[in-house]
Amino acid sequence: MNLFYNLNGVGNVLLVQFTSSRPRDIRIESKADVTLIYDDSKNELVGLNLFNASSYMELKEEGQVELTESIALELKQSLVKNGVDVQLDVDFTPKFVIGLVEKTESHPNADKLKVCTVDVGDETLQIVCGASNIAEGQKVVVAKVGAVMASGTVIRDAELRGVASSGMICSATELNIPNAEKGQGILVLEESSVIGEAFIVSN
C-alpha cells in the first residue's frame, strides 16, 4: 500500500494505492469523504482517495507518506467514520532492500539488456537490467514491486521485450543519493552489506 499527499498540488486529499498493477476498467464509488477506486475487470479495490485528510490525521510529508502503524490505524479509523467497510491489508516490509546478483544472462531479444537472478533474502527475483556494469556476485539495491522511486514512479511487475521482470536494480541517482554521479550504472554496495536488509538513503 502506497500513500501520497500533496496539499499544494492536489489539495487536502490522501491518495492511497493498494496495487502496483494498472487497472483496465475503472469504477468509482463515493461515500462521504472517501472515494473508492475499483478495477471492474477484476472486481478489485485498487485505491482510494480520502478527502479532508488533515481532519483525520496529521500529515507532514509532501509526496509519498511513510506508512507507519499510526498512519495505518488513523486511515482505518477514517474509513469507519465514513461508513466504509474495507479491510486494509497493510504491508510494512521494506521495498528497498539489499540483493545479491546470483546470475546474469543475455536477454534473448535485446543486446543491451541482462536477465538477472537476484537473491533479496526472503525470495529470489528475476529482474531485467540495462546497466552496463551489472555483474554476478554484486551486492546491489533492489526496488521491489510496490516501491515508489524519488521521481514518483511506482515499481510494477513488468515485461521487458518479452521477459518478465519483478523489481528494479537501482542506480545512485534513481535512489536520489546526494552528490550521486549521473551515468555511472547501478550502485554496487560493499561486500559486507547484508542481503535482505532494508536500504535507507542518508541525506
Side-chain angles (χ1 to χ4, degrees):
M1 182 166 66
N2 294 307
L3 286 70
F4 306 89
Y5 183 74
N6 187 336
L7 181 61
N8 294 322
V10 179
N12 191 12
V13 185
L14 180 68
L15 309 177
V16 182
Q17 183 183 52
F18 295 127
T19 175
S20 60
S21 61
R22 298 180 185 277
R24 293 184 351 193
D25 188 9
I26 293 177
R27 172 169 54 89
I28 292 175
E29 295 181 4
S30 295
K31 194 166 188 180
D33 278 338
V34 178
T35 295
L36 302 172
I37 305 166
Y38 291 89
D39 183 342
D40 226 11
S41 65
K42 300 179 181 177
N43 194 28
E44 177 185 13
L45 181 66
V46 297
L48 66 84
N49 296 338
L50 176 64
F51 293 86
N52 301 310
S54 63
S55 66
Y56 296 99
M57 62 189 72
E58 184 177 358
L59 295 165
K60 298 178 181 179
E61 292 100 334
E62 283 283 320
Q64 184 180 14
V65 176
E66 181 183 0
L67 180 58
T68 62
E69 292 186 13
S70 175
I71 288 289
L73 178 60
E74 290 173 328
L75 180 57
K76 290 177 181 179
Q77 291 173 339
S78 71
L79 297 180
V80 172
K81 289 177 182 178
N82 284 278
V84 176
D85 184 16
V86 170
Q87 293 296 116
L88 296 182
D89 183 16
V90 183
D91 179 10
F92 289 109
T93 61
K95 296 303 179 186
F96 293 91
V97 299
I98 296 168
L100 171 66
V101 181
E102 294 184 325
K103 184 169 65 172
T104 65
E105 297 178 308
S106 297
H107 192 293
N109 302 314
D111 293 339
K112 294 184 178 181
L113 297 179
K114 296 286 187 181
V115 182
C116 305
T117 302
V118 186
D119 177 8
V120 293
D122 59 343
E123 60 183 329
T124 299
L125 303 175
Q126 176 174 287
I127 300 175
V128 177
C129 179
S132 59
N133 65 328
I134 189 75
E136 294 178 2
Q138 291 173 331
K139 299 282 183 71
V140 296
V141 180
V142 175
K144 300 175 75 173
V145 170
V148 181
M149 306 304 295
S151 64
T153 300
V154 179
I155 301 302
R156 310 175 190 274
D157 280 316
E159 189 173 287
L160 300 178
R161 303 292 291 273
V163 175
S165 181
S166 296
M168 184 173 76
I169 301 172
C170 303
S171 69
T173 52
E174 288 165 336
L175 293 166
N176 204 29
I177 293 177
N179 303 316
E181 293 185 38
K182 295 183 178 180
Q184 297 301 306
I186 53 111
L187 175 65
V188 180
L189 303 174
E190 295 180 356
E191 180 58 34
S192 59
S193 300
V194 179
I195 299 167
E197 280 196 354
F199 180 83
I200 310 249
V201 176
S202 299
N203 294 313

Coordinates of all heavy atoms in Angstrom, one line a residue, residues 148-181:
V148 N 8.2 3.1 -4.4 CA 8.0 4.4 -5.1 C 9.3 5.1 -5.2 O 10.0 5.4 -4.1 CB 7.0 5.2 -4.3 CG1 6.7 6.6 -5.0 CG2 5.6 4.5 -4.1
M149 N 9.8 5.3 -6.4 CA 11.0 6.0 -6.6 C 11.0 7.5 -6.3 O 9.9 8.0 -6.1 CB 11.5 5.8 -8.1 CG 11.5 4.3 -8.5 SD 12.5 3.3 -7.5 CE 14.2 4.0 -7.8
A150 N 12.1 8.1 -6.1 CA 12.2 9.5 -5.8 C 11.4 10.3 -6.9 O 10.9 11.4 -6.6 CB 13.6 10.0 -5.7
S151 N 11.4 9.8 -8.1 CA 10.7 10.5 -9.2 C 9.2 10.4 -9.1 O 8.5 11.1 -9.9 CB 11.2 9.9 -10.6 OG 10.8 8.5 -10.6
G152 N 8.7 9.5 -8.2 CA 7.3 9.3 -8.1 C 6.8 8.0 -8.9 O 5.7 7.6 -8.8
T153 N 7.7 7.4 -9.7 CA 7.4 6.2 -10.4 C 7.2 5.0 -9.4 O 8.0 4.8 -8.5 CB 8.5 5.8 -11.4 OG1 8.7 6.9 -12.3 CG2 8.2 4.6 -12.1
V154 N 6.1 4.3 -9.6 CA 5.8 3.1 -8.8 C 6.4 1.9 -9.6 O 6.1 1.7 -10.7 CB 4.3 3.0 -8.6 CG1 4.0 1.7 -7.8 CG2 3.7 4.2 -7.9
I155 N 7.1 1.1 -8.9 CA 7.7 -0.1 -9.5 C 6.6 -1.2 -9.6 O 6.0 -1.5 -8.6 CB 8.9 -0.7 -8.7 CG1 10.0 0.4 -8.6 CG2 9.5 -1.9 -9.3 CD1 10.5 0.9 -10.0
R156 N 6.4 -1.8 -10.8 CA 5.4 -2.7 -11.0 C 6.0 -4.0 -11.6 O 7.1 -4.0 -12.2 CB 4.3 -2.2 -12.0 CG 3.8 -0.8 -11.6 CD 2.9 -0.3 -12.7 NE 2.5 1.1 -12.5 CZ 1.5 1.5 -11.8 NH1 0.8 0.6 -11.1 NH2 1.2 2.8 -11.6
D157 N 5.3 -5.1 -11.5 CA 5.7 -6.3 -12.3 C 5.6 -5.9 -13.8 O 4.6 -5.2 -14.2 CB 4.7 -7.4 -12.1 CG 5.1 -8.2 -10.8 OD1 6.2 -8.5 -10.6 OD2 4.1 -8.5 -10.0
A158 N 6.6 -6.2 -14.6 CA 6.6 -5.8 -16.0 C 7.1 -6.9 -16.9 O 7.5 -7.9 -16.4 CB 7.5 -4.5 -16.1
E159 N 7.0 -6.6 -18.2 CA 7.6 -7.5 -19.2 C 8.4 -6.6 -20.1 O 7.8 -5.8 -20.8 CB 6.5 -8.2 -19.9 CG 7.0 -9.4 -20.8 CD 5.9 -10.2 -21.4 OE1 5.3 -11.0 -20.6 OE2 5.6 -10.1 -22.6
L160 N 9.7 -6.9 -20.2 CA 10.6 -6.1 -21.0 C 11.1 -6.9 -22.2 O 11.8 -7.9 -22.0 CB 11.8 -5.6 -20.2 CG 11.4 -4.7 -18.9 CD1 12.7 -4.3 -18.2 CD2 10.6 -3.5 -19.4
R161 N 10.6 -6.5 -23.3 CA 10.9 -7.2 -24.6 C 10.7 -8.7 -24.5 O 11.4 -9.5 -24.9 CB 12.4 -7.0 -25.0 CG 12.8 -5.5 -25.1 CD 12.2 -4.8 -26.3 NE 12.7 -5.4 -27.6 CZ 13.8 -4.9 -28.2 NH1 14.4 -3.9 -27.6 NH2 14.2 -5.4 -29.3
G162 N 9.5 -9.0 -23.8 CA 9.1 -10.4 -23.8 C 9.5 -11.2 -22.6 O 9.2 -12.4 -22.5
V163 N 10.3 -10.6 -21.7 CA 10.8 -11.3 -20.5 C 10.3 -10.6 -19.2 O 10.4 -9.4 -19.1 CB 12.4 -11.3 -20.5 CG1 12.9 -11.9 -19.2 CG2 12.9 -12.0 -21.7
A164 N 9.7 -11.4 -18.3 CA 9.2 -10.9 -17.1 C 10.2 -10.3 -16.2 O 11.4 -10.8 -16.1 CB 8.4 -12.0 -16.3
S165 N 9.9 -9.2 -15.5 CA 10.8 -8.5 -14.6 C 10.0 -8.1 -13.4 O 9.0 -7.4 -13.5 CB 11.5 -7.3 -15.3 OG 12.4 -6.7 -14.5
S166 N 10.5 -8.5 -12.2 CA 9.8 -8.1 -10.9 C 10.8 -7.3 -10.1 O 11.5 -7.8 -9.3 CB 9.4 -9.4 -10.2 OG 8.5 -10.1 -10.9
G167 N 10.7 -6.0 -10.3 CA 11.6 -5.1 -9.5 C 12.6 -4.4 -10.4 O 12.6 -4.5 -11.6
M168 N 13.5 -3.6 -9.7 CA 14.5 -2.8 -10.4 C 15.8 -2.8 -9.6 O 15.7 -2.6 -8.4 CB 14.0 -1.4 -10.7 CG 14.9 -0.6 -11.5 SD 14.3 1.0 -12.0 CE 14.4 1.9 -10.5
I169 N 16.9 -3.0 -10.3 CA 18.2 -2.8 -9.7 C 18.6 -1.3 -9.9 O 18.6 -0.8 -11.0 CB 19.2 -3.7 -10.3 CG1 18.8 -5.2 -10.1 CG2 20.6 -3.5 -9.7 CD1 19.7 -6.2 -10.8
C170 N 18.9 -0.6 -8.8 CA 18.9 0.9 -8.8 C 20.3 1.5 -8.9 O 21.3 0.9 -8.5 CB 18.3 1.4 -7.5 SG 16.6 0.8 -7.2
S171 N 20.3 2.6 -9.5 CA 21.5 3.5 -9.6 C 21.4 4.4 -8.4 O 20.4 4.6 -7.8 CB 21.6 4.2 -10.9 OG 20.6 5.2 -11.0
A172 N 22.5 5.1 -8.2 CA 22.6 6.1 -7.1 C 21.7 7.3 -7.4 O 21.0 7.8 -6.5 CB 24.0 6.6 -6.9
T173 N 21.6 7.7 -8.7 CA 20.7 8.8 -9.0 C 19.2 8.4 -8.9 O 18.4 9.3 -8.4 CB 21.0 9.3 -10.4 OG1 20.9 8.2 -11.3 CG2 22.3 10.0 -10.5
E174 N 18.9 7.2 -9.2 CA 17.5 6.8 -9.1 C 17.1 6.7 -7.6 O 15.9 6.9 -7.3 CB 17.3 5.4 -9.7 CG 17.3 5.4 -11.2 CD 17.5 4.1 -11.9 OE1 18.1 3.2 -11.2 OE2 17.1 3.9 -13.0
L175 N 18.0 6.5 -6.7 CA 17.8 6.5 -5.3 C 17.8 7.9 -4.7 O 17.6 8.0 -3.5 CB 18.8 5.6 -4.6 CG 18.6 4.1 -4.9 CD1 19.9 3.3 -4.5 CD2 17.4 3.5 -4.3
N176 N 18.2 8.9 -5.5 CA 18.2 10.3 -5.0 C 19.3 10.4 -4.0 O 19.2 11.2 -3.0 CB 16.9 10.7 -4.5 CG 16.8 12.3 -4.6 OD1 17.4 12.9 -5.4 ND2 16.0 12.8 -3.7
I177 N 20.4 9.7 -4.1 CA 21.5 9.8 -3.2 C 22.2 11.1 -3.4 O 22.6 11.5 -4.6 CB 22.5 8.6 -3.3 CG1 21.8 7.3 -2.9 CG2 23.8 8.9 -2.5 CD1 22.6 6.1 -3.0
P178 N 22.5 11.9 -2.4 CA 23.1 13.2 -2.6 C 24.5 13.1 -3.3 O 25.3 12.2 -3.0 CB 23.3 13.8 -1.1 CG 22.2 13.1 -0.4 CD 22.1 11.7 -1.0
N179 N 24.7 14.0 -4.2 CA 26.0 14.1 -4.9 C 26.3 12.9 -5.8 O 27.5 12.6 -6.1 CB 27.2 14.3 -3.9 CG 27.0 15.6 -3.1 OD1 26.6 16.6 -3.6 ND2 27.3 15.4 -1.8
A180 N 25.3 12.1 -6.1 CA 25.5 11.0 -7.0 C 25.9 11.4 -8.4 O 25.3 12.4 -8.9 CB 24.2 10.1 -7.0
E181 N 26.8 10.7 -9.0 CA 27.3 11.0 -10.3 C 26.3 10.3 -11.3 O 25.9 9.2 -11.2 CB 28.7 10.5 -10.6 CG 29.7 11.2 -9.8 CD 31.1 10.7 -10.1 OE1 31.4 10.5 -11.3 OE2 32.0 10.6 -9.2

